[in-house]
Amino acid sequence: MKALLVVLALFLPIINAQVPHWGPCPEPVTQPAFNLKQFMGRWFEIAKLPAQFERGRCIETNFTLKLDGTAHVVSSEILKGELKTIEGTAVVEDKRNPAKLGISFSYVLPYTPYWILSTDYENSALVYSCTDVLRLFHVDFAWILGRTRSLPAATIDHGKEVFTNNNIDVSRMILSRQQGCDKDL
Ligand SMILES: *[C@@H]1O[C@H](CO)[C@@H](O)[C@H](O)[C@H]1NC(C)=O
């Protein structure tokens, strides 16, 4: 019990904003024969989990394939009227399953899972990231991405259904703000 409390204290900063789920990460089905090259380009965040109400709006990510087969990642958002960007690298972590990417935004940070559960490359993508904490509980993130700043409600509903069918709880998923993004900040 004491050990458990220490563990909880250690990881509390990570799980602060979210709901930890007991048990190990789910093992969702990922996009078969994932094609990293086709996934490159600009994706807008349409919906996300967990809810981070105070975060920026107009969140988007631009992936560019590099010669070494990894991808350069530039994410941006408008926060308090300012455009903020961060750059990182995405790699295929599991050669046997290229849909299991990892992304790192710093040389000192480990790669966090960035799994493409499903995508048609041209309209939408479902992305999931889950980290086990000693297999006692897990913290996760899920995104619905679009090639445009909005997606039909049916596409979003279907995306949520896919997450749910993979034992991922998206009941608290919220829509991302993508309004007024192409005007002045
Ligand atoms: C995405 O990145 C590529 C390569 O750096 C760049 O040429 C392109 O203009 C970027 N697209 C957007 C929408 O930022």
Side-chain angles (χ1 to χ4, degrees):
M1 191 59 206
K2 200 171 168 197
L4 181 60
L5 286 178
V6 170
V7 167
L8 285 175
L10 267 165
F11 289 97
L12 221 49
I14 319 175
I15 60 178
N16 215 344
Q18 24 191 313
V19 188
H21 308 279
W22 292 108
C25 283
E27 288 174 28
V29 176
T30 52
Q31 173 79 19
F34 176 69
N35 185 319
L36 185 62
K37 200 173 164 196
Q38 276 183 274
F39 190 76
M40 297 296 95
R42 196 178 188 189
W43 286 101
F44 300 99
E45 186 189 88
I46 303 298
K48 71 174 143 209
L49 180 77
Q52 295 162 305
F53 294 102
E54 73 285 5
R55 300 291 296 154
R57 58 195 182 86
C58 306
I59 297 177
E60 62 174 86
T61 303
N62 186 12
F63 295 87
T64 316
L65 204 59
K66 295 199 284 189
L67 288 174
D68 64 2
T70 66
H72 182 61
V73 182
V74 181
S75 275
S76 65
E77 65 176 355
I78 295 173
L79 187 61
K80 298 189 180 108
E82 265 182 78
L83 182 70
K84 310 243 175 200
T85 62
I86 47 166
E87 298 188 27
T89 303
V91 299
V92 171
E93 291 219 291
D94 181 351
K95 287 276 168 349
R96 285 162 309 167
N97 187 347
K100 292 188 173 177
L101 304 177
I103 289 191
S104 173
F105 285 101
S106 152
Y107 292 112
V108 296
L109 291 176
Y111 283 87
T112 32
Y114 193 87
W115 291 6
I116 315 300
L117 300 200
S118 158
T119 185
D120 62 0
Y121 305 98
E122 288 175 358
N123 297 290
S124 64
L126 304 178
V127 180
Y128 185 61
S129 178
C130 185
T131 304
D132 266 322
V133 181
L134 301 177
R135 297 188 74 78
L136 279 174
F137 59 93
H138 62 273
V139 289
D140 61 0
F141 296 87
W143 297 271
I144 299 176
L145 305 181
R147 288 295 195 186
T148 48
R149 288 200 192 272
S150 69
L151 287 176
T155 307
I156 297 172
D157 288 346
H158 178 255
K160 286 185 181 174
E161 227 171 84
V162 172
F163 284 120
T164 305
N165 291 344
N166 281 287
N167 299 313
I168 298 161
D169 178 11
V170 288
S171 55
R172 292 161 61 99
M173 187 169 246
I174 58 158
L175 291 180
S176 307
R177 288 175 57 204
Q178 294 284 0
Q179 289 87 28
C181 300
D182 295 318
K183 291 183 265 173
D184 47 336
L185 299 182

